[in-house]
Amino acid sequence: MRPLLALATAALLGLGLTACGSGSSPSAAGGETTITFWDDNGGPARTPVWQHIIGEFQKANPKIKVKYVGIPIAQAQQKYDTAIAGGGLPDVGGVSTAMLANLVAQKALEPLDDRIAKSALNGKINRQVLTTVKATVPDGKTYMMPMSTNMGVFWYRTDWFKEAGIAAPKTWSEFFTAIEKLTDKSKNRYGFTIRGGAGSIAQMMEVLYGQSGITEIFDPAGKATINDPRNVAALEKLAGLYKKVTPEADVTNDYVKMVAQFDGGNIAIMQHNLGSYNDHAKTLGEDKVAAMAVPRSDSGTQSILSNPVSGIGVFAAGERKDAAFKFAEFAASKAMNSHWAEKTGVLPANTEVDGERWIKDAQHVAEASRVLNDPATKVVQMPYYLPEFNAITKTEMEPLFQKVLLGQMPAKTFLDQFSAKLTEAQAKYRQRNG
Amino acid sequence: MARATRTPYLLIAPALIAMLGFLVYPMASVVYYSLQHYNVTKPWDNGFAGLDNFRTLLFEDPLFWQSLGFSVKWVAVEVTLQLLFGLALALIVNETFVGRALSRALVFSPWAVSGVLTTGIWVLLYNPTTGVSRYLADLGLMEYGAAPLADPDTVFSAAVVAELWRGVPFFAILLLADLQSAAKELYEAASVDGASRVRRFFHITLPHLKDAIILSTLLRCVWEFNNVDLLYTLTGGGPAHATTTLPLYVASKAAQAHDFGYGSALTTAAFLILTFFSIAYLRLSKFGAKA
């Protein structure tokens, strides 16, 4: 019995020691530093882009190795939250302004203002992008190195429009006429697709504020404008499209299902953002798809929603912050930022990239730049700074929006509830931050 | 003598430590957090909540009751249908016929497919762009665009069918294994006495299978109650909460809304419900009692 006990004890101790060893493995040995990078949107489209950037970085900095970990975008926030609670955060990771308030509330990120001020990128990051990043957090600091921003666009089938002899709509009236004309259910063709599943609320808000021409989410008293009668009318119009000019499956449409329908050749117009360009071009062909801006309201106002800024955060718990920032700085440099933005189809944050040839040649990027640079364009700032914003929009409002589409809840009731939640969150935010 | 007394405790110590670490600690942790306000996005509001979370779920949260009601309906329909189809299949493949081995392999094969893959298959089958309805519409047999997972009137049946495909083999395997041990002499004696096939089933087969049925239905009830993978991937709990079970609601509150305090209270409630149900079920069914 005694040898058996001794063996069991030795095995347990051995396991314990092994576990301790792997937990504290050195990542700076022989003058070489290893940093871990979490890509918050890992997948076949973006992973190769990061691998290229990492390869170039390691060539330029042979003493720093970057360990890449790709995380699917739907799980990124959850992975970060779990790592904050239980340990295991990376040194550096992809973040967006949509998750920034949450991460900063948990004191997970390092402010980068001083480091950026001393870096070669000082003064080269788009001012509007930097303002958005700072406005997302209560203390107004820069908690990420901005890489790119995005813009909501409507992707449309140029060949269908040509076939029907109509031009890309510029106003909402033209939009509604076009999608009706392009619907032919007997041929499994629909004029439009509504995102009714995961991620629906931001796109719904873009349609509402785009139609109503309202330019602020909160009025000066702090009351949410989402249930303004003009927005209610706009939602009634949108919900009225369901099953009339859109597929029935739209009520549960997430990004993947929505793109599958559009790229599968059943949809004339799909609302998303610049980021899905590569998927459409690969499946439909570059000549059959183009982007148009959010249509103007009938009063002539071009209202667009602010889109999350993507970038790289340096984690406060990391022990290799210098190397981590060096990587973030390198990724945002002109050559890398240009590569990143071109390959992922987004708007670069580094202003030095603005003059690159590919920006003028890419129709969707040129269209987005035209709208963003038009002084008449009104950007409705999404309240990403509210810590409750994600929970309100995703867990509470998405199922209720489905009820509106299914005719189980009036548009006004839904928007009144949405408005009450936003107003309450805004009041609490003001109370906390003055 | 003292060493002889210590040895048994030392021998069970690793198992005890593992149970404390992997069972008792997580459960105690969930109970602890159920008494806290704990939301990682709002650290300033965190703190002791007492029974606030339980008061909210009992009196102020209609979704708790709705998701609990749906869970009960889901478990009742799924387990009943799986048991009936599983028993029928077990009886069929227990008979001697040409191709029995192949039939058994086919009957059991869905159980060997991973849960995520199963839901992937059914998502594609139900998808109006890639699924069965698309091809039927191409043949002119129905209209384009039918989406059973998007219609509140059909989503429940569609999900039930998908889960049946996966769950029936579980009962078929277990019941077939038990059928193999049924005494042949009893059937022969009953036949000699002129008992019909139906009579033999109700008087010999069913009493023989009693304990296997009770145990497998209990296990399946708990698994179906806790089912997350199929419904999460297939419907996400929608449309409009039409297929939200209690565990899916927990996932949305804890993992998506980051409200781990309230999510823990929901989990504790689910744990108490399942524990009460299991004890009551075993007592009422007289599990293990001699027939």
Side-chain angles (χ1 to χ4, degrees):
Chain A
M1 186 61 73
R2 222 185 309 170
L4 190 66
L5 263 178
L7 190 69
T9 314
L12 275 173
L13 283 173
L15 280 175
L17 288 173
T18 314
C20 288
S22 65
S24 58
S25 62
S27 45
E32 214 174 66
T33 303
T34 301
I35 55 171
T36 303
F37 167 64
W38 282 9
D39 175 6
D40 62 326
N41 193 357
R46 298 213 177 191
T47 299
V49 182
W50 275 116
Q51 280 166 340
H52 171 79
I53 294 172
I54 290 168
E56 294 298 309
F57 176 73
Q58 291 179 161
K59 262 189 239 166
N61 300 275
K63 294 207 165 175
I64 305 177
K65 295 277 170 249
V66 181
K67 189 179 159 198
Y68 172 87
V69 180
I71 299 167
I73 190 166
Q75 293 161 21
Q77 178 73 64
Q78 201 182 332
K79 286 271 182 194
Y80 280 134
D81 288 335
T82 311
I84 291 167
L89 275 171
D91 298 285
V92 60
V95 292
S96 85
T97 44
M99 61 171 88
L100 203 59
N102 177 3
L103 293 172
V104 171
Q106 298 181 74
K107 298 184 170 51
L109 290 170
E110 183 82 353
L112 301 178
D113 303 78
D114 292 344
R115 290 179 187 270
I116 292 174
K118 288 178 202 156
S119 99
L121 291 171
N122 192 24
K124 290 173 183 167
I125 299 166
N126 184 300
R127 193 170 293 176
Q128 219 175 357
V129 168
L130 263 182
T131 306
T132 304
V133 171
K134 289 177 179 182
T136 313
V137 289
D139 64 8
K141 290 184 181 172
T142 312
Y143 284 93
M144 65 193 270
M145 173 67 82
M147 286 284 286
S148 60
T149 188
N150 213 325
M151 198 184 99
V153 291
F154 284 65
W155 297 101
Y156 67 100
R157 290 288 301 265
T158 48
D159 51 338
W160 289 22
F161 273 77
K162 203 173 165 188
E163 196 180 282
I166 47 179
K170 290 194 165 41
T171 66
W172 283 101
S173 296
E174 289 172 11
F175 173 83
F176 291 124
T177 309
I179 56 177
E180 203 157 323
K181 198 170 179 184
L182 291 164
T183 298
D184 184 350
K185 289 184 186 175
S186 67
K187 289 183 183 166
N188 201 19
R189 280 185 170 198
Y190 298 89
F192 188 50
T193 176
I194 297 171
R195 185 169 182 168
S200 60
I201 300 302
Q203 291 193 191
M204 177 209 74
M205 289 173 77
E206 190 167 56
V207 173
L208 266 53
Y209 282 90
Q211 283 186 74
S212 68
I214 297 170
T215 57
E216 302 291 340
I217 297 283
F218 295 104
D219 67 15
K223 187 193 167 301
T225 58
I226 190 75
N227 65 339
D228 183 284
R230 288 168 288 173
N231 279 337
V232 174
L235 179 56
E236 283 166 352
K237 187 98 179 162
L238 174 68
L241 301 176
Y242 176 59
K243 288 208 280 191
K244 195 173 153 212
V245 294
T246 81
E248 184 187 4
D250 278 10
V251 72
T252 52
N253 251 2
D254 56 11
Y255 172 74
V256 175
K257 289 178 193 156
M258 187 173 69
V259 171
Q261 290 188 116
F262 182 69
D263 292 350
N266 304 120
I267 307 293
I269 303 179
M270 187 196 91
Q271 178 195 9
H272 189 237
N273 60 42
L274 297 172
S276 55
Y277 171 73
N278 288 331
D279 285 337
H280 311 317
K282 202 185 289 174
T283 319
L284 295 170
E286 288 178 12
D287 57 327
K288 287 186 180 151
V289 65
M292 61 183 181
V294 177
R296 285 196 306 273
S297 73
D298 292 340
S299 63
T301 312
Q302 173 97 62
S303 283
I304 60 168
L305 245 57
S306 68
N307 260 260
V309 174
S310 294
I312 304 176
V314 173
F315 285 88
E319 290 170 8
R320 295 164 286 273
K321 292 194 192 78
D322 289 342
F325 179 76
K326 207 167 199 173
F327 176 67
E329 186 184 26
F330 184 84
S333 65
K334 183 186 173 188
M336 292 302 108
N337 198 221
S338 175
H339 177 78
W340 157 264
E342 184 182 4
K343 296 295 175 197
T344 58
V346 292
L347 300 167
N350 189 326
T351 50
E352 289 182 302
V353 184
D354 289 347
E356 299 273 293
R357 173 114 199 134
W358 68 266
I359 288 194
K360 294 182 184 75
D361 290 346
Q363 181 271 338
H364 57 293
V365 178
E367 173 73 352
S369 298
R370 178 190 69 75
V371 174
L372 280 175
N373 294 328
D374 184 346
T377 300
K378 304 287 180 199
V379 181
V380 182
Q381 291 294 337
M382 291 281 267
Y384 292 119
Y385 55 86
L386 296 176
E388 297 93 341
F389 188 64
N390 272 337
I392 293 172
T393 52
K394 287 187 189 303
T395 58
E396 296 185 46
M397 292 303 135
E398 280 180 5
L400 297 186
F401 177 53
Q402 291 180 327
K403 285 192 175 186
V404 175
L405 291 179
L406 293 167
Q408 296 174 354
M409 180 182 263
K412 186 171 182 321
T413 309
F414 164 67
L415 292 180
D416 283 346
Q417 288 188 24
F418 194 0
S419 174
K421 294 273 178 192
L422 287 177
T423 303
E424 187 189 349
Q426 174 78 352
K428 283 185 185 168
Y429 181 83
R430 281 183 170 182
Q431 202 177 5
R432 277 194 311 274
N433 301 292
Chain B
M1 186 65 192
R3 184 178 294 158
T5 318
R6 275 202 309 267
T7 306
Y9 294 105
L10 283 170
L11 285 171
I12 63 165
L16 203 63
I17 292 167
M19 280 176 71
L20 284 172
F22 294 108
L23 200 68
V24 178
Y25 172 71
M27 281 164 62
S29 170
V30 168
V31 173
Y32 168 77
Y33 280 110
S34 72
L35 302 172
Q36 303 285 322
H37 288 300
Y38 185 63
N39 185 327
V40 293
T41 62
K42 294 189 282 185
W44 47 84
D45 286 341
N46 291 347
F48 183 65
L51 295 174
D52 274 4
N53 289 325
F54 292 98
R55 200 174 300 125
T56 305
L57 74 84
L58 286 174
F59 304 112
E60 294 164 24
D61 186 358
L63 267 179
F64 165 70
W65 293 107
Q66 187 187 322
S67 58
L68 180 61
F70 180 78
S71 293
V72 171
K73 180 181 165 189
W74 172 256
V75 169
V77 172
E78 272 299 334
V79 176
T80 307
L81 291 178
Q82 286 177 23
L83 173 65
L84 291 177
F85 284 112
L87 181 60
L89 283 175
L91 290 171
I92 291 169
V93 296
N94 192 40
E95 297 293 320
T96 310
F97 58 91
V98 178
R100 185 172 76 163
L102 180 67
S103 305
R104 283 184 177 180
L106 285 174
V107 165
F108 304 148
S109 57
W111 189 249
V113 180
S114 84
V116 174
L117 205 57
T118 301
T119 51
I121 292 167
W122 285 95
V123 164
L124 287 174
L125 282 173
Y126 286 139
N127 188 310
T129 309
T130 57
V132 176
S133 67
R134 162 76 184 256
Y135 294 100
L136 291 175
D138 282 344
L139 295 170
L141 298 173
M142 62 187 294
E143 284 187 6
Y144 283 109
L149 296 177
D151 185 341
D153 295 332
T154 56
V155 65
F156 180 69
S157 322
V160 163
V161 170
E163 181 64 0
L164 269 183
W165 186 80
R166 182 169 68 163
V168 165
F170 168 78
F171 279 99
I173 295 167
L174 274 180
L175 298 179
L176 179 65
D178 207 31
L179 278 174
Q180 312 268 298
S181 65
K184 298 271 186 296
E185 306 81 47
L186 282 176
Y187 288 97
E188 283 164 13
S191 295
V192 170
D193 289 346
S196 67
R197 201 173 255 269
V198 175
R199 209 174 167 82
R200 290 202 301 268
F201 172 75
F202 281 107
H203 289 274
I204 303 173
T205 311
L206 217 49
H208 177 78
L209 290 176
K210 185 192 151 213
D211 277 356
I213 289 175
I214 292 171
L215 196 64
S216 55
T217 45
L218 177 64
L219 278 176
R220 204 65 196 151
C221 281
V222 175
W223 291 347
E224 288 298 350
F225 188 90
N226 288 327
N227 183 314
V228 170
D229 59 348
L230 182 122
L231 285 172
Y232 184 78
T233 321
L234 209 59
T235 67
H241 290 307
T243 55
T244 300
T245 56
L246 190 52
L248 275 182
Y249 186 45
V250 172
S252 86
K253 276 287 173 191
Q256 284 184 332
H258 310 291
D259 193 347
F260 291 101
Y262 192 61
S264 299
L266 290 168
T267 309
T268 306
F271 172 73
L272 292 174
I273 290 165
L274 281 178
T275 307
F276 177 77
F277 165 78
S278 303
I279 294 168
Y281 186 72
L282 289 176
R283 287 254 168 120
L284 290 174
S285 61
K286 297 186 177 129
F287 175 70
K290 292 260 161 67

PDB file of all heavy atoms in Angstrom, chain A residues 353-368:
ATOM      1  N   VAL A 353      -2.464  57.792 -44.943  1.00  0.00           N
ATOM      2  CA  VAL A 353      -2.939  56.792 -45.908  1.00  0.00           C
ATOM      3  C   VAL A 353      -3.964  57.408 -46.872  1.00  0.00           C
ATOM      4  O   VAL A 353      -4.209  56.875 -47.956  1.00  0.00           O
ATOM      5  CB  VAL A 353      -3.552  55.577 -45.163  1.00  0.00           C
ATOM      6  CG1 VAL A 353      -3.975  54.484 -46.121  1.00  0.00           C
ATOM      7  CG2 VAL A 353      -2.559  55.015 -44.155  1.00  0.00           C
ATOM      8  N   ASP A 354      -4.544  58.558 -46.473  1.00  0.00           N
ATOM      9  CA  ASP A 354      -5.635  59.143 -47.261  1.00  0.00           C
ATOM     10  C   ASP A 354      -5.278  59.368 -48.732  1.00  0.00           C
ATOM     11  O   ASP A 354      -6.132  59.311 -49.601  1.00  0.00           O
ATOM     12  CB  ASP A 354      -6.089  60.479 -46.643  1.00  0.00           C
ATOM     13  CG  ASP A 354      -6.833  60.255 -45.332  1.00  0.00           C
ATOM     14  OD1 ASP A 354      -7.187  59.088 -45.069  1.00  0.00           O
ATOM     15  OD2 ASP A 354      -7.029  61.213 -44.575  1.00  0.00           O
ATOM     16  N   GLY A 355      -4.025  59.638 -49.025  1.00  0.00           N
ATOM     17  CA  GLY A 355      -3.637  59.929 -50.401  1.00  0.00           C
ATOM     18  C   GLY A 355      -3.334  58.699 -51.238  1.00  0.00           C
ATOM     19  O   GLY A 355      -3.008  58.821 -52.425  1.00  0.00           O
ATOM     20  N   GLU A 356      -3.421  57.528 -50.650  1.00  0.00           N
ATOM     21  CA  GLU A 356      -3.070  56.299 -51.380  1.00  0.00           C
ATOM     22  C   GLU A 356      -4.011  56.083 -52.570  1.00  0.00           C
ATOM     23  O   GLU A 356      -5.202  56.398 -52.504  1.00  0.00           O
ATOM     24  CB  GLU A 356      -3.159  55.086 -50.450  1.00  0.00           C
ATOM     25  CG  GLU A 356      -2.225  55.136 -49.263  1.00  0.00           C
ATOM     26  CD  GLU A 356      -0.844  54.577 -49.560  1.00  0.00           C
ATOM     27  OE1 GLU A 356      -0.738  53.376 -49.793  1.00  0.00           O
ATOM     28  OE2 GLU A 356       0.119  55.372 -49.576  1.00  0.00           O
ATOM     29  N   ARG A 357      -3.449  55.494 -53.607  1.00  0.00           N
ATOM     30  CA  ARG A 357      -4.189  55.304 -54.855  1.00  0.00           C
ATOM     31  C   ARG A 357      -5.434  54.409 -54.658  1.00  0.00           C
ATOM     32  O   ARG A 357      -6.492  54.658 -55.204  1.00  0.00           O
ATOM     33  CB  ARG A 357      -3.236  54.675 -55.885  1.00  0.00           C
ATOM     34  CG  ARG A 357      -3.860  54.258 -57.163  1.00  0.00           C
ATOM     35  CD  ARG A 357      -3.357  55.087 -58.343  1.00  0.00           C
ATOM     36  NE  ARG A 357      -4.308  54.941 -59.448  1.00  0.00           N
ATOM     37  CZ  ARG A 357      -4.760  55.932 -60.162  1.00  0.00           C
ATOM     38  NH1 ARG A 357      -4.363  57.157 -59.912  1.00  0.00           N
ATOM     39  NH2 ARG A 357      -5.591  55.728 -61.151  1.00  0.00           N
ATOM     40  N   TRP A 358      -5.264  53.349 -53.834  1.00  0.00           N
ATOM     41  CA  TRP A 358      -6.371  52.382 -53.703  1.00  0.00           C
ATOM     42  C   TRP A 358      -7.626  53.014 -53.121  1.00  0.00           C
ATOM     43  O   TRP A 358      -8.737  52.561 -53.380  1.00  0.00           O
ATOM     44  CB  TRP A 358      -5.942  51.162 -52.875  1.00  0.00           C
ATOM     45  CG  TRP A 358      -5.668  51.418 -51.417  1.00  0.00           C
ATOM     46  CD1 TRP A 358      -4.472  51.685 -50.845  1.00  0.00           C
ATOM     47  CD2 TRP A 358      -6.625  51.431 -50.348  1.00  0.00           C
ATOM     48  NE1 TRP A 358      -4.605  51.867 -49.489  1.00  0.00           N
ATOM     49  CE2 TRP A 358      -5.911  51.704 -49.157  1.00  0.00           C
ATOM     50  CE3 TRP A 358      -8.003  51.237 -50.268  1.00  0.00           C
ATOM     51  CZ2 TRP A 358      -6.538  51.800 -47.911  1.00  0.00           C
ATOM     52  CZ3 TRP A 358      -8.622  51.328 -49.024  1.00  0.00           C
ATOM     53  CH2 TRP A 358      -7.895  51.610 -47.869  1.00  0.00           C
ATOM     54  N   ILE A 359      -7.435  54.075 -52.338  1.00  0.00           N
ATOM     55  CA  ILE A 359      -8.608  54.730 -51.740  1.00  0.00           C
ATOM     56  C   ILE A 359      -9.469  55.373 -52.821  1.00  0.00           C
ATOM     57  O   ILE A 359     -10.699  55.290 -52.788  1.00  0.00           O
ATOM     58  CB  ILE A 359      -8.161  55.761 -50.684  1.00  0.00           C
ATOM     59  CG1 ILE A 359      -7.635  55.012 -49.474  1.00  0.00           C
ATOM     60  CG2 ILE A 359      -9.282  56.723 -50.313  1.00  0.00           C
ATOM     61  CD1 ILE A 359      -7.451  55.795 -48.227  1.00  0.00           C
ATOM     62  N   LYS A 360      -8.799  55.974 -53.806  1.00  0.00           N
ATOM     63  CA  LYS A 360      -9.562  56.625 -54.884  1.00  0.00           C
ATOM     64  C   LYS A 360     -10.192  55.579 -55.808  1.00  0.00           C
ATOM     65  O   LYS A 360     -11.262  55.782 -56.367  1.00  0.00           O
ATOM     66  CB  LYS A 360      -8.641  57.537 -55.679  1.00  0.00           C
ATOM     67  CG  LYS A 360      -8.128  58.707 -54.855  1.00  0.00           C
ATOM     68  CD  LYS A 360      -7.259  59.633 -55.687  1.00  0.00           C
ATOM     69  CE  LYS A 360      -6.685  60.746 -54.824  1.00  0.00           C
ATOM     70  NZ  LYS A 360      -5.583  60.296 -53.949  1.00  0.00           N
ATOM     71  N   ASP A 361      -9.510  54.434 -55.944  1.00  0.00           N
ATOM     72  CA  ASP A 361      -9.999  53.407 -56.875  1.00  0.00           C
ATOM     73  C   ASP A 361     -11.135  52.561 -56.312  1.00  0.00           C
ATOM     74  O   ASP A 361     -11.926  52.012 -57.070  1.00  0.00           O
ATOM     75  CB  ASP A 361      -8.850  52.462 -57.266  1.00  0.00           C
ATOM     76  CG  ASP A 361      -7.838  53.195 -58.152  1.00  0.00           C
ATOM     77  OD1 ASP A 361      -8.186  54.292 -58.647  1.00  0.00           O
ATOM     78  OD2 ASP A 361      -6.717  52.689 -58.334  1.00  0.00           O
ATOM     79  N   ALA A 362     -11.188  52.414 -54.987  1.00  0.00           N
ATOM     80  CA  ALA A 362     -12.218  51.550 -54.392  1.00  0.00           C
ATOM     81  C   ALA A 362     -13.524  52.329 -54.291  1.00  0.00           C
ATOM     82  O   ALA A 362     -13.626  53.292 -53.516  1.00  0.00           O
ATOM     83  CB  ALA A 362     -11.767  51.070 -53.018  1.00  0.00           C
ATOM     84  N   GLN A 363     -14.536  51.909 -55.065  1.00  0.00           N
ATOM     85  CA  GLN A 363     -15.804  52.653 -55.131  1.00  0.00           C
ATOM     86  C   GLN A 363     -16.429  52.837 -53.748  1.00  0.00           C
ATOM     87  O   GLN A 363     -16.881  53.930 -53.395  1.00  0.00           O
ATOM     88  CB  GLN A 363     -16.773  51.909 -56.075  1.00  0.00           C
ATOM     89  CG  GLN A 363     -18.125  52.586 -56.269  1.00  0.00           C
ATOM     90  CD  GLN A 363     -19.189  52.175 -55.241  1.00  0.00           C
ATOM     91  OE1 GLN A 363     -19.094  51.124 -54.624  1.00  0.00           O
ATOM     92  NE2 GLN A 363     -20.175  53.048 -55.054  1.00  0.00           N
ATOM     93  N   HIS A 364     -16.439  51.754 -52.945  1.00  0.00           N
ATOM     94  CA  HIS A 364     -17.135  51.831 -51.659  1.00  0.00           C
ATOM     95  C   HIS A 364     -16.430  52.771 -50.686  1.00  0.00           C
ATOM     96  O   HIS A 364     -17.070  53.514 -49.942  1.00  0.00           O
ATOM     97  CB  HIS A 364     -17.295  50.427 -51.053  1.00  0.00           C
ATOM     98  CG  HIS A 364     -16.019  49.679 -50.847  1.00  0.00           C
ATOM     99  ND1 HIS A 364     -15.230  49.234 -51.873  1.00  0.00           N
ATOM    100  CD2 HIS A 364     -15.392  49.287 -49.714  1.00  0.00           C
ATOM    101  CE1 HIS A 364     -14.184  48.593 -51.384  1.00  0.00           C
ATOM    102  NE2 HIS A 364     -14.250  48.621 -50.074  1.00  0.00           N
ATOM    103  N   VAL A 365     -15.083  52.759 -50.718  1.00  0.00           N
ATOM    104  CA  VAL A 365     -14.333  53.639 -49.816  1.00  0.00           C
ATOM    105  C   VAL A 365     -14.479  55.093 -50.277  1.00  0.00           C
ATOM    106  O   VAL A 365     -14.665  56.006 -49.460  1.00  0.00           O
ATOM    107  CB  VAL A 365     -12.850  53.220 -49.752  1.00  0.00           C
ATOM    108  CG1 VAL A 365     -12.058  54.152 -48.849  1.00  0.00           C
ATOM    109  CG2 VAL A 365     -12.726  51.795 -49.259  1.00  0.00           C
ATOM    110  N   ALA A 366     -14.441  55.293 -51.591  1.00  0.00           N
ATOM    111  CA  ALA A 366     -14.594  56.653 -52.130  1.00  0.00           C
ATOM    112  C   ALA A 366     -15.974  57.222 -51.779  1.00  0.00           C
ATOM    113  O   ALA A 366     -16.102  58.390 -51.403  1.00  0.00           O
ATOM    114  CB  ALA A 366     -14.399  56.624 -53.650  1.00  0.00           C
ATOM    115  N   GLU A 367     -17.003  56.362 -51.882  1.00  0.00           N
ATOM    116  CA  GLU A 367     -18.372  56.802 -51.547  1.00  0.00           C
ATOM    117  C   GLU A 367     -18.472  57.179 -50.057  1.00  0.00           C
ATOM    118  O   GLU A 367     -19.052  58.200 -49.695  1.00  0.00           O
ATOM    119  CB  GLU A 367     -19.358  55.669 -51.890  1.00  0.00           C
ATOM    120  CG  GLU A 367     -20.796  55.875 -51.449  1.00  0.00           C
ATOM    121  CD  GLU A 367     -21.550  56.922 -52.279  1.00  0.00           C
ATOM    122  OE1 GLU A 367     -20.920  57.600 -53.113  1.00  0.00           O
ATOM    123  OE2 GLU A 367     -22.774  57.075 -52.045  1.00  0.00           O
ATOM    124  N   ALA A 368     -17.854  56.343 -49.215  1.00  0.00           N
ATOM    125  CA  ALA A 368     -17.889  56.630 -47.775  1.00  0.00           C
ATOM    126  C   ALA A 368     -17.131  57.920 -47.469  1.00  0.00           C
ATOM    127  O   ALA A 368     -17.597  58.760 -46.689  1.00  0.00           O
ATOM    128  CB  ALA A 368     -17.278  55.463 -47.007  1.00  0.00           C
TER     129      ALA A 368
END
